[in-house]
Amino acid sequence: MSSSLAALIGLTLSIILILRKVSPVYSLMLGALTGGLLAGSGLVGTIADMVEGVKGITPAILRILAAGVLSGVLIKTGAAESISRAIVRTMGGKRIYLALAVATMILCSVGVFIDVAVITVAPIALMLAKSTDVPVGKVLLAMIGGGKCGNIISPNPNTIIAAENYGAELPSVMACGLLPALVGLLVTVYVIVPLFPSKKGMTPSCPSPVSGVSLDGEGLPPFWASIMGPFVTILLLALRPLFGIEVDPLVALPAGGLVGILATRSWEKARESIGFGLEKMSSVAILLVGTGTIAGVINASDIKDVVVGLLERWSIGGSVMAPLSSALMSAATASSTAGATIASASFSETVLAAGVSAVWAAAMTNAGATMLDHLPHGSFFHATGGAVGMGIKERLRLIPFETLVGTVLTLCSFLSFLIFG
């Protein structure tokens, strides 16, 4: 059996197991083992390929764990909620969809996980939805769309892993996603959200999810203090492209978290914040171990040669491979982080060999990972639906519109590469 076919069988097995609610990590590891054995690599050779795949993403895992400090501080000190409330309060209820989309976009862009960002903004969204009598589906779609836009310009795991595997500077990858993110935000708010059909019974009827919620932010740290941590992190990361001074994300991200603790005067919450951030990032790091094993087997196969053969007559085929492979892998794992990991670890050499710069390759891979990371076999689907009390059937109706948001981001990233890259 050819190694490319064997790798695809292994990946398919992983997808089936994930859909059957088996642990994604073990599903990916078992799929990798199966693919390697079917390829004729033997047990020893397959294990070696799996280990090599994990080794390749270890530096990124360290940086992702470091990102937990900033993320934990933003959530546990109330800084994330303070930022979101300030944005919604400033923009007003008349622009509810824009306000919610911008709030989740900002939270994601400063390092908060997209599902956590949606959960943070959800009580405000439900309150506004109830007072303005708009469908819950529309406000959730606005938050998810804004979160996806923020996710491609943030120091989140998906961006870190794509930059690491392509050998690109993290701030440059974030900058390349800025234009697609802004276009995606406008398209989400003014095109995609209005397209979502209003349905009777989709407005919130139970006051319990929003009882006691107001926009005054009483007891929360002030906006200026809340934003200090992310500001310092982005400033430190920007030193290299601006002045040639390199500050690794391994340092910049925890430094931003420390500044956030000091600025919000939340010293008593320091241990709780770090622990919470580590817990969130640990689950991602463990998932990346599983994705690393399947990426190692795919990388050792000849699947890259097969893909190149299919695209070699297309002048831009090599550049298409970056977002396309990421979109497919994110669909398989229902995770933007896992999708970006497998795609960038498996196809980085091929994409770079096609003449695509490392920065644009990482940016397109990052954008492609947003296309299908919201499918039902992933945690994002259920976490976001649960945040607004939405049932499975109602939550499924959002998938085509979420896919449209991810498609817009991916196409804008690809077009930006063609114009500027």
Side-chain angles (χ1 to χ4, degrees):
M1 182 181 294
S2 67
S3 59
S4 58
L5 179 59
L8 288 175
I9 292 175
L11 182 60
T12 302
L13 175 61
S14 296
I15 296 171
I16 293 172
L17 291 174
I18 291 173
L19 290 172
R20 300 288 294 178
K21 305 300 183 182
V22 179
S23 165
V25 178
Y26 289 128
S27 298
L28 291 164
M29 292 176 68
L30 183 58
L33 183 63
T34 302
L37 293 176
L38 290 177
S41 300
L43 185 59
V44 174
T46 300
I47 296 298
D49 291 337
M50 293 168 64
V51 171
E52 195 63 30
V54 176
K55 283 182 180 179
I57 62 172
T58 299
I61 291 177
L62 292 176
R63 290 171 175 83
I64 288 168
L65 290 175
V69 178
L70 176 60
S71 180
V73 168
L74 285 169
I75 298 300
K76 287 300 180 179
T77 62
E81 186 175 353
S82 175
I83 293 170
S84 65
R85 287 174 183 270
I87 294 169
V88 174
R89 184 172 58 247
T90 300
M91 303 189 75
K94 292 184 179 180
R95 294 181 290 272
I96 177 174
Y97 302 131
L98 180 61
L100 295 175
V102 170
T104 48
M105 179 180 176
I106 294 297
L107 289 183
C108 285
S109 67
V110 298
V112 178
F113 271 131
I114 182 172
D115 55 346
V116 177
V118 172
I119 291 170
T120 301
V121 181
I124 306 172
L126 286 174
M127 181 195 68
L128 293 174
K130 188 173 182 64
S131 61
T132 56
D133 197 36
V134 300
V136 173
K138 284 183 179 288
V139 297
L140 179 56
L141 182 58
M143 290 189 289
I144 290 174
K148 284 180 179 286
C149 295
N151 214 22
I152 66 174
I153 56 173
S154 72
N156 268 331
N158 45 289
T159 316
I160 292 173
I161 199 77
E164 185 70 32
N165 283 341
Y166 277 104
E169 296 179 7
L170 179 60
S172 299
V173 177
M174 293 163 61
C176 285
L178 185 58
L179 180 59
L182 293 176
V183 173
L185 177 70
L186 295 176
V187 173
T188 295
V189 173
Y190 295 109
V191 179
I192 299 177
V193 171
L195 283 176
F196 186 79
S198 299
K199 186 179 180 181
K200 186 178 180 180
M202 286 291 286
T203 53
S205 57
C206 177
S208 59
V210 293
S211 57
V213 176
S214 65
L215 292 180
D216 56 16
E218 184 179 352
L220 296 174
F223 177 80
W224 69 265
S226 301
I227 205 69
M228 281 301 297
F231 175 77
V232 169
T233 295
I234 294 173
L235 181 64
L236 290 174
L237 291 174
L239 289 177
R240 178 169 179 174
L242 292 177
F243 305 107
I245 303 173
E246 182 175 0
V247 180
D248 195 279
L250 197 62
V251 175
L253 291 163
L258 178 61
V259 170
I261 286 287
L262 296 175
T264 58
R265 299 183 179 182
S266 302
W267 303 283
E268 72 283 356
K269 296 182 179 179
R271 290 178 60 185
E272 180 186 6
S273 299
I274 294 173
F276 177 81
L278 180 61
E279 180 183 353
K280 291 293 296 182
M281 294 300 179
S282 294
S283 60
V284 177
I286 294 172
L287 175 62
L288 289 179
V289 172
T291 60
T293 61
I294 192 72
V297 171
I298 292 175
N299 196 41
S301 71
D302 60 359
I303 193 171
K304 298 182 293 297
D305 300 327
V306 174
V307 175
V308 170
L310 294 173
L311 299 175
E312 62 182 358
R313 295 186 179 180
W314 195 6
S315 59
I316 57 174
S319 54
V320 170
M321 192 183 305
L324 181 60
S325 62
S326 185
L328 293 175
M329 293 304 107
S330 68
T333 58
S335 165
S336 58
T337 302
T341 301
I342 298 175
S344 57
S346 303
F347 296 99
S348 57
E349 293 182 6
T350 306
V351 173
L352 294 174
V356 183
S357 68
V359 171
W360 279 106
M364 288 190 291
T365 297
N366 197 21
T370 66
M371 280 186 67
L372 294 164
D373 62 332
H374 45 265
L375 295 181
H377 55 285
S379 60
F380 176 74
F381 174 91
H382 301 281
T384 52
V388 295
M390 184 177 286
I392 297 293
K393 185 177 179 180
E394 295 172 341
R395 180 65 181 83
L396 287 171
R397 296 174 66 236
L398 268 70
I399 290 180
F401 301 91
E402 295 171 271
T403 304
L404 189 55
V405 174
T407 302
V408 169
L409 293 175
T410 304
L411 287 177
C412 286
S413 181
F414 181 67
L415 290 174
S416 297
F417 160 71
L418 293 181
I419 297 171
F420 305 111

